[in-house]
Amino acid sequence: MKDIESSSFDFAAYLEMTRKRVEVALEDSLGPERPELLREAMRYSLLAGGKRIRPMLCLASCELAGGDSEQALPTAVALEMIHTMSLIHDDLPAMDNDDLRRGRPTNHKIYGDAMAILSGDALLTRAFEMVSLRSEGVAPERLLKVVGELSLAAGAPGLVGGQVEDLECEAKQVDLKTLEFIHLHKTGALLKACVTCGALIGGANEKLLDALRIYANGIGLAFQIIDDILDVTASSDVLGKTAGKDLIADKTTYPKLLGLEESRKKAHELVKESKEVLTPWIKNASPLLALADYITSRDR
Ligand code: GRG
């Protein structure tokens, strides 16, 4: 099938506009937490930049389903909160033990391990508050489904399961199937929740939800392949996190199993397939098509 192009869509302008919209919503999302140190630690990581891909996927999916993306904004914020929590916890000494994230020292390097765990916990629980108590104009049954999707994505069937498998596989020979399991859970599950939650709020039917799940699986794997490639080819300065860690930790990665060129090819194929799934909705799918391309063209 012919590759789908979204040439007339000004993605750079869309990206900038949506990023600013998300930053404002993130800034507004944190209340007067007490004690002040907890508030500081939560803000430190949540407002540290980041590409904000997850909220963008949520807002774009809501619009693709015909909804008003303003109604999905609290859920978009919730998704970024869950993502940020997972980064804070992933960087802890008991997990990936990293010093650098989003271009600055990791949360635990500034606030200590206990506060990093607790600020992550506070962000995770605040995410559910955003959806259930701060969404306006969305039918309660839709919000209930969103809560369900978020629980599945964050918990054992998603992020936690993927992370445990990843830890279990450290310094072991891992085959392609296991690597795929890790990434579909560690990275893919939350990306899938971004599109399903946005689409549910927008009132998507089952056909669109199924297509978006396939789209998300494809871009989720592609996202991780590019992450693995950048770990070998980019600098820590550009990435804002420690480059070359996979090699040092002797982790199995796509470049290790397939080589750099094959890995790039696989990521492009996955993105192409993800875009094709959205063909029936092509008229309103430009942001999601362009976000899929962004994943393979990104340099950080
Ligand atoms: C405690 C419920 C609970 C879950 C935590 C720690 C953990 C379980 C999971 C780790 C998940 C993880 C860190 C996956 C890596 C995903 C990934 C590729 C992150 C990088 O995403 P980007 O590039 O980062 O979008 P920015 O900084 O741009 O947002």
Side-chain angles (χ1 to χ4, degrees):
M1 193 194 278
K2 201 162 106 20
D3 194 12
I4 298 169
E5 292 303 330
S6 49
S7 51
S8 63
F9 178 63
D10 185 350
F11 183 57
Y14 174 84
L15 205 60
E16 190 48 20
M17 185 192 73
T18 315
R19 202 188 49 74
K20 281 190 182 143
R21 187 178 173 207
V22 168
E23 291 299 335
V24 171
L26 288 170
E27 178 76 48
D28 291 347
S29 68
L30 294 180
E33 332 286 341
R34 291 286 178 270
E36 180 60 34
L37 189 61
L38 173 61
R39 173 180 157 79
E40 221 190 272
M42 289 166 79
R43 285 177 62 85
Y44 178 81
S45 292
L46 188 67
L47 303 179
K51 295 179 286 297
R52 312 306 193 196
I53 287 173
R54 291 156 191 83
M56 288 188 200
L57 285 170
C58 173
L59 299 173
S61 301
C62 177
E63 285 180 1
L64 178 60
D68 172 1
S69 61
E70 202 54 30
Q71 294 182 344
L73 208 47
T75 297
V77 166
L79 286 153
E80 188 66 21
M81 285 177 165
I82 295 175
H83 170 56
T84 303
M85 168 282 297
S86 78
L87 300 179
I88 296 173
H89 284 191
D90 190 51
D91 290 334
L92 284 165
M95 301 223 197
D96 238 21
N97 193 17
D98 221 321
D99 297 349
L100 188 67
R101 174 68 71 178
R102 290 175 163 173
R104 37 161 113 177
T106 44
N107 193 296
H108 68 272
K109 283 280 156 192
I110 302 289
Y111 298 100
D113 292 2
M115 191 52 69
I117 293 168
L118 290 166
S119 57
D121 293 344
L123 286 170
L124 175 63
T125 41
R126 171 59 57 83
F128 288 92
E129 179 189 328
M130 292 305 299
V131 175
S132 55
L133 300 180
R134 301 223 201 162
S135 300
E136 282 176 17
V138 188
E141 53 274 24
R142 286 187 188 174
L143 291 182
L144 195 59
K145 283 187 182 164
V146 168
V147 166
E149 292 287 328
L150 292 183
S151 312
L152 291 171
L159 282 179
V160 176
Q163 179 76 348
V164 170
E165 185 70 15
D166 196 16
L167 293 172
E168 290 282 292
C169 287
E170 251 172 34
K172 280 190 196 150
Q173 278 298 108
V174 169
D175 60 15
L176 209 52
K177 205 164 153 247
T178 311
L179 192 63
E180 199 165 295
F181 176 93
I182 293 171
H183 295 319
L184 280 175
H185 291 77
K186 237 186 105 162
T187 306
L190 194 59
L191 294 175
K192 201 191 288 181
C194 294
V195 295
T196 51
C197 291
L200 280 166
I201 292 172
N205 59 23
E206 275 310 314
K207 196 170 162 227
L208 176 55
L209 285 170
D210 283 346
L212 284 170
R213 286 187 188 107
I214 297 170
Y215 163 89
N217 273 345
I219 65 161
L221 275 187
F223 189 93
Q224 192 56 53
I225 295 172
I226 298 300
D227 223 60
D228 286 356
I229 292 173
L230 289 174
D231 186 72
V232 197
T233 59
S235 68
S236 300
D237 274 355
V238 172
L239 290 179
K241 60 182 181 181
T242 316
K245 273 212 79 178
D246 295 341
L247 214 59
I248 295 164
D250 194 23
K251 268 201 162 176
T252 304
T253 63
Y254 282 93
K256 191 173 168 190
L257 286 184
L258 304 176
L260 273 176
E261 262 332 288
E262 256 328 285
S263 300
R264 280 197 187 97
K265 216 171 118 198
K266 187 169 170 64
H268 280 103
E269 274 164 13
L270 283 164
V271 165
K272 185 168 176 277
E273 285 163 20
S274 298
K275 288 164 67 183
E276 282 171 356
V277 173
L278 298 181
T279 306
W281 299 272
I282 191 151
K283 258 176 55 192
N284 300 312
S286 297
L288 286 181
L289 299 179
L291 278 165
D293 282 331
Y294 174 59
I295 280 168
T296 35
S297 62
R298 72 194 169 99
D299 60 3
R300 66 183 181 104

